[in-house]
Amino acid sequence: MDLQIIGVIGAGVMGVGVAQNLAQTGHRVILIDISDSILERAKQEIRNNIRFQGFFNKKNAENLDNTLQKITFTTDYQLFKDADFVVENVIEKWEIKKPIYSQMDAICPPRCVFAANTSAISITRIGSATQRPAQVIGMHFMNPVPMKKTVEVIRGYHTSEETIEIAKKFLAQMGKDCILVNDAPGFVSNRVLMLMVNEAIFLVQDQVATAQDVDLIFKNCFGHKMGPLETADLIGLDTILYSIEVLYESFNDSKYRPCPLLKKMVDAGLHGRKSGQGFYTYQTTR
């Protein structure tokens, strides 16, 4: 199966990274979101990302226009009628994801595989929203997508071996390898990571330590490249909250109870790097 026309749904942090990575590896990309303003901002973010890469690799900067020409920015799902593969990256809310899969299912050709780039929602549940559950697979990319070489791939209950092989080929074309796991809420990475981040936020709320000191302990004592709260800001505090809420709902276990401080920060619009303020302050291009 030739995988050349790739649909990407959601032009947020992850969707931008996936679209950029695909275009830089020679794919034709159709990037969809709900408004032209979001898509224009996504285009600017990709432009900025490639220019930044140019500081380290001149070839990337020289190929800026060529990369952007490979991406179609649109709000029209009908452009997916010839897609070979689709990567969905929308917010971690089932009531938002579910109708998107029904819409894709009606438009995309029968051969098309759907990859859910989700942090915690069950791949089996996502497959149930389509008429092709055997062609639905989880594909948990890490941020920033172009710089992360390994992807957590999740097999849903109905995911076929053929779909798994297509997914591996797709990732290889992007220059990535994968680790295959079975379906469970949060999979491996976020079932562990979200607990650690949530507990780190409780430490700040309870005034046990500052955010900086929590992160320093993980970096200086354990050798982590980033502390849990720096990681939370990078992922997005809204995504952290939605993911931990999925885990809490799925397992009915109080250990996944979201920290009240996390909820307050998300309500205040303090979403981390993408908003310019989280546990740390950042410059933004918006």
Side-chain angles (χ1 to χ4, degrees):
M1 183 176 177
D2 193 25
L3 304 171
Q4 287 302 317
I5 303 175
I6 312 299
V8 178
I9 301 177
V13 173
M14 297 306 295
V16 162
V18 171
Q20 177 187 330
N21 197 157
L22 284 164
Q24 288 180 311
T25 48
H27 299 84
R28 179 185 160 197
V29 181
I30 303 166
L31 178 60
I32 282 186
D33 213 305
I34 59 174
S35 74
D36 290 334
S37 61
I38 292 173
L39 292 165
E40 186 57 38
R41 187 166 65 230
K43 184 184 293 186
Q44 185 59 47
E45 288 178 2
I46 292 172
R47 187 178 286 114
N48 292 341
N49 291 344
I50 294 172
R51 285 173 177 162
F52 180 75
Q53 287 180 348
F55 288 119
F56 306 99
N57 185 340
K58 187 177 180 181
K59 184 179 179 182
N60 284 331
E62 292 172 347
N63 289 338
L64 172 59
D65 290 339
N66 186 43
T67 298
L68 286 172
Q69 286 171 6
K70 289 186 170 69
I71 305 174
T72 299
F73 297 84
T74 183
T75 58
D76 184 5
Y77 277 87
Q78 290 298 326
L79 271 63
F80 279 6
K81 61 184 176 56
D82 296 319
D84 301 311
F85 200 100
V86 175
V87 183
E88 172 271 309
N89 310 271
V90 304
I91 194 170
E92 290 292 290
K93 294 283 189 180
W94 176 239
E95 62 270 21
I96 296 176
K97 283 187 184 286
K98 184 178 180 180
I100 286 173
Y101 278 91
S102 299
Q103 190 170 2
M104 284 197 297
D105 206 25
I107 295 170
C108 294
R111 69 179 184 278
C112 186
V113 168
F114 298 162
N117 184 14
T118 175
S119 298
I121 294 174
S122 163
I123 304 307
T124 303
R125 188 179 193 185
I126 290 172
S128 73
T130 77
Q131 298 299 313
R132 60 182 92 191
Q135 291 164 248
V136 176
I137 194 165
M139 200 167 274
H140 184 205
F141 290 90
M142 307 300 163
N143 187 31
V145 175
M147 298 174 64
K148 300 293 185 178
K149 297 299 183 185
T150 303
V151 177
E152 183 181 32
V153 171
I154 305 98
R155 182 205 315 260
Y157 184 86
H158 294 291
T159 305
S160 70
E161 291 299 323
E162 181 182 8
T163 295
I164 292 169
E165 291 307 310
I166 291 170
K168 288 179 178 178
K169 177 183 177 181
F170 170 74
L171 290 171
Q173 289 179 187
M174 292 181 73
K176 300 188 185 302
D177 55 21
C178 68
I179 298 170
L180 180 66
V181 303
N182 291 320
D183 190 21
F187 324 123
V188 172
S189 57
N190 280 340
R191 189 165 168 182
V192 175
L193 177 63
M194 295 303 159
L195 271 176
M196 181 175 72
V197 169
N198 196 48
E199 198 61 35
I201 299 171
F202 269 114
L203 289 169
V204 174
Q205 175 184 276
D206 296 344
Q207 299 183 336
V208 176
T210 64
Q212 292 85 348
D213 285 343
V214 169
D215 285 340
L216 278 173
I217 287 171
F218 278 83
K219 291 189 289 187
N220 294 354
C221 298
F222 300 131
H224 291 197
K225 291 183 179 179
M226 298 180 71
L229 300 175
E230 290 172 306
T231 301
D233 274 0
L234 178 64
I235 293 170
L237 299 186
D238 52 339
T239 300
I240 297 289
L241 176 59
Y242 300 149
S243 299
I244 199 92
E245 285 177 337
V246 169
L247 292 168
Y248 187 41
E249 176 189 347
S250 300
F251 291 108
N252 291 313
D253 190 328
S254 61
K255 72 182 179 183
Y256 296 110
R257 177 175 64 91
C259 178
L261 176 59
L262 173 60
K263 290 183 174 182
K264 181 187 288 187
M265 292 178 72
V266 171
D267 286 343
L270 307 180
H271 294 173
R273 284 181 182 266
K274 60 187 172 184
S275 70
Q277 182 69 49
F279 289 99
Y280 300 89
T281 301
Y282 307 90
Q283 290 184 335
T284 65
T285 57
R286 297 182 187 179

